[in-house]
Amino acid sequence: MKWIKRIGITILLLPVILIIVVISYEIFGMCMNHRATDRQTGKLEADIREKIGDVKILGIYSETGNTSGTGNHVECLSVITFSTELTAEEIREGMSEAYTFDGWDCYLKPKDEGFYTFYLRTSAPFPNNIEGH
């Protein structure tokens, strides 16, 4: 009789356990996605400082989520605004060793003379996370 009670309790608790596992997985994925965005932004900042000698960083912005609006997926977006004496072509040439400029996921946008914004968007490690919906 005890084993019937145990089986019954297990059957009743199984959906609760499954819900807890799914929620835990989603939270873990969100944390890892945000960590990947922070790492990406840090690497981009370090690369800009290394490749452009006279750079002055004016602003750093990062976002994790569905940044392109093209579906249910998660992306890592890093945006850095800076000033330098170099031209846009010189910046692209120096940064092209580490980044592929494609006009959508990775591009350099000139603002005023000497001011630029570098955009970098990559797929997150957990692209099907709830943050993308």
Side-chain angles (χ1 to χ4, degrees), residues 4 6 16-17 23 33 39 41 58 102 108 116 131-132:
I4 293 177
R6 288 181 184 163
V16 173
I17 293 169
I23 290 173
N33 288 343
R39 255 196 255 146
T41 304
L58 303 173
D102 61 4
L108 181 70
Y116 302 93
E131 281 184 303

Side-chain angles (χ1 to χ4, degrees), residues 33 72-75 123-133:
N33 288 343
N72 294 336
H73 59 278
V74 182
E75 300 160 323
S123 181
F126 290 84
N128 294 323
N129 192 269
I130 192 72
E131 281 184 303
H133 299 274

Side-chain angles (χ1 to χ4, degrees), residues 72-133:
N72 294 336
H73 59 278
V74 182
E75 300 160 323
C76 304
L77 174 66
S78 301
V79 180
I80 298 183
T81 304
F82 60 94
S83 65
T84 182
E85 296 296 321
L86 298 177
T87 65
E89 191 56 41
E90 291 172 327
I91 295 169
R92 281 188 199 96
E93 186 178 309
M95 298 294 286
S96 65
E97 296 172 12
Y99 302 97
T100 303
F101 291 88
D102 61 4
W104 178 255
D105 288 328
C106 180
Y107 60 96
L108 181 70
K109 182 178 177 183
K111 294 187 131 318
D112 296 327
E113 191 170 321
F115 294 91
Y116 302 93
T117 303
F118 194 109
Y119 293 87
L120 178 63
R121 179 183 13 248
T122 60
S123 181
F126 290 84
N128 294 323
N129 192 269
I130 192 72
E131 281 184 303
H133 299 274

